[in-house]
Amino acid sequence: MVNWSPKLQTAVSDLEVEYSEEPGTLYYIKYRVAGGSRSDFLTIATTRPETLFGDVAIAVHPQDERYSKYVGKMAIVPMTYGRHVPIISDKYVDKDFGTGVLKISPGHDHNDYVLARRLGLPILNVMNKDGTLNEVAGLYCGLDRFEARKKLWSDLEETDLAVKMEPHSLRVPRSQRGGEVIEPLVSKQWFVTMQPLAEKALLAVEKGELTIIPERFEKIYNHWLTNIKDWCISRQLWWGHRIPVWYIVGKDCEEEYIVARSAEEALMKARDKYGKEVEVYQDPDVLDTWFSSALWPFSTLGWPDELAEDFKRFYPTTMLETGHDILFFWVARMVMMGIEFTGTVPFSYVYLHGLIRDSQGRKMSKTLGNVIDPLDTIKEFGTDALRFTLALGTSGQDLNLSTERLTANKAFTNKLWNAGKFVLQVLPNRDNVSGWQNIEACKFNTEGYLLRLPLPECWVVSKLHMLIDAVTESYNKFFFGDVGREIYDFFWGDFADWYIEASKARIYHSGDDSVALVAQTVLLYVFENILKLLHPFMPFVTEELWQALPNRREALIISSWPQTALPRSTDLVKRFENLQALTRAIRNARAEYSVEPAKRITASIVGSEEVIQYISEEKEVLALLSKLDLGNIHFADSPPGMFTLNHICFGSRTKKCFAYSFH
């Protein structure tokens, strides 16, 4: 018994059959009891009356007293010229569905097929491969299955064998590829016994040889393999790998066949067994696409030659990344085939990404007109923006792709580009040998050098080193969405919004080349590491910016990953966070009192001696970020007499307090 697609003229996999709830009809039909009176009949409710020509028995429940007197007798199948079938009892029958009487048509129903095999009943097929009825249907031969249904019901009404029709919700099986209603059909096909293969695939996950990410899909994987059925692997298609079976001309193909790697080998085997005059022909069917795909991890690498260079180097691999919707179609099958043919799991990790849906969460389809063409999207927003948007999704969770997301990440790409332009503009000229020697001599991997940096520089380098550790850990755990968000927040929230602005005080207003050089060095160090961390997400813009930087000796794609566990100063990070809080408070006060954006104002800042010391050292940065008059910033340990306009305190647990007033 297979799932047959009348439109495609081929068997299809169980997994390629999609069930949908659709309105249908329940037909009630009289089956007269042979040898009885006109009142002796059984009424059967069925959704597919055209299959009655394939009935081989009528079944009732053993405890159903309504029909017990008919068990052991014969029923007459309507419109079949008086064909008789036995009336039997079986616990499989549902007394509460329809009339409690079941017609058994094992040639056209999966459950009936299993029941008939158990009871030893014959199999009767009434359907051609194109969905029309065959000669078993008598006068209805040649009619399409749905046309036959209408004509049969009309004829049943004329002969008083039709009882009634009533609406009934049906679970209709449809082909995933063609969309037509699937016909359960008994057909000669090649199958693979799955249980032994499934047991090995289950054991691989249980022993930790295979890890599925996200973990929740492991339960789905286990459930499917535990309840797996034998796999029909032959397809009646025009393309694909041919079934490696040859038959003997003049012999019964079910009894006599040869399995071989080639036609020459098959003919040689046939001659050894049947003589030199024998003729052979190959099975016309091809392998199921998913069967061929399951061989992909090793068949592409020179297998079965296990000494092939590619096979030795690339099998098994580390990780398979694919959509969660083909966990059964492909992933589980690759695992089973890999273990069976090579003895090894083909990959250590399976990373399942989500599906891309439209902004309303709907699956993309031509019918809905909501398909987003990647090429059009790239043209409008850029390749890197699209990649970054998709990569920010959570593993195994579908992503709603909206214009807003793409627009935001296009702005992020532009921000990265503009930051790169700024860094390039402020770096020493390429012919400034001494300047570049000083830059290359900086050792940010030593704690002593880090602690000698001014506060903003120490802060941003420390934050970068924290980011490298966090991102590396997230990469190792395959938390790619977290990686993207962490880099985004650091680049935009810390580097672009704060440090680039703070560095302008060093480069443009300090008047000291050594101070400017420190800022240039930090800008380059932080920016090039951001490019490294971001490269897997946004390869094009990062590579372009990387190669535009002076003294690049190799492409970004082959450069080394940033070193982890680098020094950082949490105390100095907190100090700069205090400076940030002070800046935000001043900005808020300016906005509250509608101070003109370009107006430089006077400020009095009050704090403890420790706080005033490190804040005053960065008054140029504070003045630039807060639009203060550098010559009129006053620091004190108590509020001045004119302190009447505003007063802000924070950081009470650390006993750090700032106050400021505007004159």
Side-chain angles (χ1 to χ4, degrees), residues 2-5 8 10-14 16-17 175 177 182 235:
V2 298
N3 303 302
W4 185 262
S5 170
L8 298 178
T10 182
V12 297
S13 165
D14 291 343
E16 294 174 307
V17 177
S175 168
R177 300 184 183 275
I182 287 295
R235 298 287 181 268

Side-chain angles (χ1 to χ4, degrees), residues 8 177 235-242 284-287 289:
L8 298 178
R177 300 184 183 275
R235 298 287 181 268
Q236 293 68 48
L237 301 174
W238 293 356
W239 57 88
H241 291 148
R242 291 283 294 274
D285 291 353
V286 299
L287 291 168
T289 302

Side-chain angles (χ1 to χ4, degrees), residues 231-437:
W231 180 11
C232 174
I233 61 166
S234 52
R235 298 287 181 268
Q236 293 68 48
L237 301 174
W238 293 356
W239 57 88
H241 291 148
R242 291 283 294 274
I243 298 285
V245 174
W246 282 259
Y247 303 112
I248 313 302
V249 174
K251 299 283 186 180
D252 185 344
C253 63
E254 290 189 38
E255 299 294 333
E256 305 289 343
Y257 57 85
I258 294 172
V259 178
R261 293 181 180 272
S262 65
E264 292 76 15
E265 182 183 339
L267 184 59
M268 188 181 301
K269 288 183 177 180
R271 285 175 175 174
D272 290 342
K273 188 173 182 180
Y274 300 101
K276 293 185 177 181
E277 302 302 321
V278 70
E279 294 183 23
V280 298
Y281 63 96
Q282 190 173 358
D283 193 309
D285 291 353
V286 299
L287 291 168
D288 175 23
T289 302
W290 296 110
F291 184 94
S292 298
S293 300
L295 309 176
W296 180 84
F298 48 88
S299 64
T300 57
L301 302 175
W303 182 89
D305 179 10
E306 297 189 359
L307 296 179
E309 199 62 36
D310 284 350
F311 184 85
K312 290 192 297 182
R313 181 176 182 182
F314 296 111
Y315 190 90
T317 190
T318 303
M319 185 177 75
L320 169 74
E321 185 271 343
T322 189
H324 66 74
D325 56 326
I326 57 174
L327 177 61
F328 312 130
F329 288 107
W330 195 33
V331 177
R333 300 192 195 280
M334 282 192 286
V335 173
M336 288 187 283
M337 293 295 188
I339 297 174
E340 178 66 20
F341 288 114
T342 71
T344 307
V345 177
F347 25 75
S348 302
Y349 298 92
V350 175
Y351 181 89
L352 300 172
H353 64 70
L355 306 182
I356 306 303
R357 299 181 178 273
D358 69 8
S359 58
Q360 300 177 41
R362 300 175 301 176
K363 193 172 183 179
M364 294 185 192
S365 71
K366 292 181 180 179
T367 304
L368 293 174
N370 63 343
V371 176
I372 300 175
D373 190 327
L375 295 179
D376 293 339
T377 306
I378 289 170
K379 187 176 181 180
E380 183 176 357
F381 298 98
T383 305
D384 287 305
L386 176 59
R387 284 174 58 99
F388 192 67
T389 301
L390 301 183
L392 286 179
T394 304
S395 62
Q397 184 172 318
D398 294 353
L399 176 69
N400 297 348
L401 188 61
S402 65
T403 302
E404 291 76 14
R405 287 175 183 262
L406 291 165
T407 301
N409 290 321
K410 180 180 179 180
F412 176 66
T413 309
N414 291 338
K415 188 78 170 179
L416 185 69
W417 183 262
N418 289 331
K421 287 174 62 178
F422 172 78
V423 173
L424 287 169
Q425 288 171 0
V426 301
L427 289 176
N429 295 328
R430 293 176 184 268
D431 55 1
N432 187 344
V433 178
S434 62
W436 281 102
Q437 288 177 343

Side-chain angles (χ1 to χ4, degrees), residues 522-556:
V522 170
L523 281 169
L524 177 62
Y525 175 72
V526 175
F527 188 68
E528 66 181 6
N529 277 284
I530 289 173
L531 295 180
K532 287 184 177 183
L533 298 176
L534 197 55
H535 184 65
F537 288 85
M538 310 177 81
F540 301 104
V541 66
T542 53
E543 187 72 69
E544 186 74 15
L545 288 167
W546 173 270
Q547 296 197 25
L549 295 173
N551 304 323
R552 300 299 99 178
R553 297 179 179 87
E554 59 186 6
L556 175 56

